[in-house]
Amino acid sequence: MSEITGKTRLLGVIGHPIGHSLSPLMHNAALTELGENYVYVAFPIKPEDLATAIAGLESIGVVGFSVTIPHKQTIMPFFSQITPTAKLVGAVNTVWWTEQGWQGTNTDVEGFVAPLTGLDQDWRKVKPVVLGNGGAARAVVVGLAQLGCPEIQIVGRNLEKLAAFKNSWSRADFNSELSVYPWQTLAELIPSTTLLINTTPLGMTPHLDQSPVEEDLMQGLSSSAIAYDLIYTPRPTRFLQQAADQGATIIDGLEMLVQQGAAALRLWLQKPVPVDTMRQALRDFIP
Ligand code: NAP
């Protein structure tokens, strides 16, 4: 990190809890490489302190900040402007200060899509299956729609939440059809898809030995399929191990984490950022 001086500018991440965040590691590695006089720190902000914190961040001249659980949705009313992507997702993960006030966007979509865009695929023929319908699944849906997937199949365990998830997109301006399915339909969905995405927390601490897909069901996955797990530690998860055993291509959540961060840093600094350095900082930390 550059030496902290009277001119050092502040970036950071707000969340609660926040001590586990890998963002300071990744961003400070990039800032050091660039020789930028900035520092990126984690701010533990309780839900009830959000309004005070946002006013405080403005008054101390913070340039921009990342937003994580539990503030990604509740922070939205605080902004003068929100990008169409963040509106579509219904969550903000990146904020920057402008003369008109705070502006918010969602770089999780860009992060999610990044490792897919390099693959030789005609996305107009791919009908992905998305496991889970929580916050991250929303960024995934927007990303898959941007790629041009004609139908996005969402699988969830709670039928009411699934119906609400589908309804929330009823006025969304994209061409993909959204269909929702209960968990019991996985046996039919898995063999027919070439992109299977896990957005549930099954496979990360404290569910390290779990997978959202039972062993025998995963045997139906095509060897030409891609399995994408948003979880970035452990690498690989049980879900990705199962998919690799079928010969499928696997993608873990590390690249999404790196690319959403890189997109945020580009916004704050208004210049290209060293993505390789950010990735390496995380790889050194996550074996
Ligand atoms: P979330 O909002 O809590 O959503 C989790 C989803 O998983 C919900 O739909 C939940 O269903 C479902 N689920 C939980 N346990 C389940 C189980 N036993 N069986 C079936 N479904 C289950 O969490 P999130 O913010 O979307 O995050 C999800 C995962 O994505 C986390 O592992 C997170 O670390 C990862 N993530 C990674 C990145 C990255 O940059 N790589 C970014 C964002 C998130 P119910 O609604 O029924 O509870």
Side-chain angles (χ1 to χ4, degrees), residues 69 132-137 157-158 161 183 199-202 204 230-232 253 256-257:
I69 292 168
N133 50 278
R157 61 176 174 178
N158 180 317
K161 285 187 186 173
W183 216 261
T199 77
T200 78
L202 295 178
M204 65 184 275
L230 265 54
I231 296 171
Y232 47 83
M256 175 173 174
L257 184 64

Side-chain angles (χ1 to χ4, degrees), residues 26 72 85 89 93-94 105-118 136 139-140 142-144 146-147 197 228-230 232 251-264 266 275 279:
M26 169 169 75
K72 281 183 166 187
T85 302
V89 175
N93 80 332
T94 301
T105 191
N106 191 305
T107 64
D108 280 336
V109 176
E110 192 174 334
F112 166 72
V113 166
L116 294 173
T117 48
V140 167
V142 175
L144 294 171
Q146 282 181 2
L147 284 173
I197 303 162
Y228 190 158
D229 198 334
L230 265 54
Y232 47 83
I251 302 173
D252 65 40
L254 191 85
E255 195 60 18
M256 175 173 174
L257 184 64
V258 171
Q259 297 288 349
Q260 63 76 30
R266 274 193 292 273
V275 180
R279 185 182 300 112

Side-chain angles (χ1 to χ4, degrees), residues 81-96:
Q81 286 187 58
I82 293 174
T83 60
T85 302
K87 278 189 193 151
L88 213 46
V89 175
V92 158
N93 80 332
T94 301
V95 178
W96 68 103

Side-chain angles (χ1 to χ4, degrees), residues 56-133:
L57 294 171
E58 176 184 340
S59 64
I60 61 171
V62 165
V63 175
F65 57 95
S66 313
V67 184
T68 188
I69 292 168
H71 305 307
K72 281 183 166 187
Q73 284 96 32
T74 50
I75 203 167
M76 292 183 76
F78 290 90
F79 301 128
S80 60
Q81 286 187 58
I82 293 174
T83 60
T85 302
K87 278 189 193 151
L88 213 46
V89 175
V92 158
N93 80 332
T94 301
V95 178
W96 68 103
W97 179 254
T98 71
E99 285 178 3
Q100 290 79 44
W102 293 117
Q103 291 199 29
T105 191
N106 191 305
T107 64
D108 280 336
V109 176
E110 192 174 334
F112 166 72
V113 166
L116 294 173
T117 48
L119 301 175
D120 181 22
Q121 288 280 332
D122 183 355
W123 299 109
R124 290 165 306 174
K125 294 187 179 143
V126 175
K127 296 181 181 175
V129 171
V130 180
L131 307 173
N133 50 278

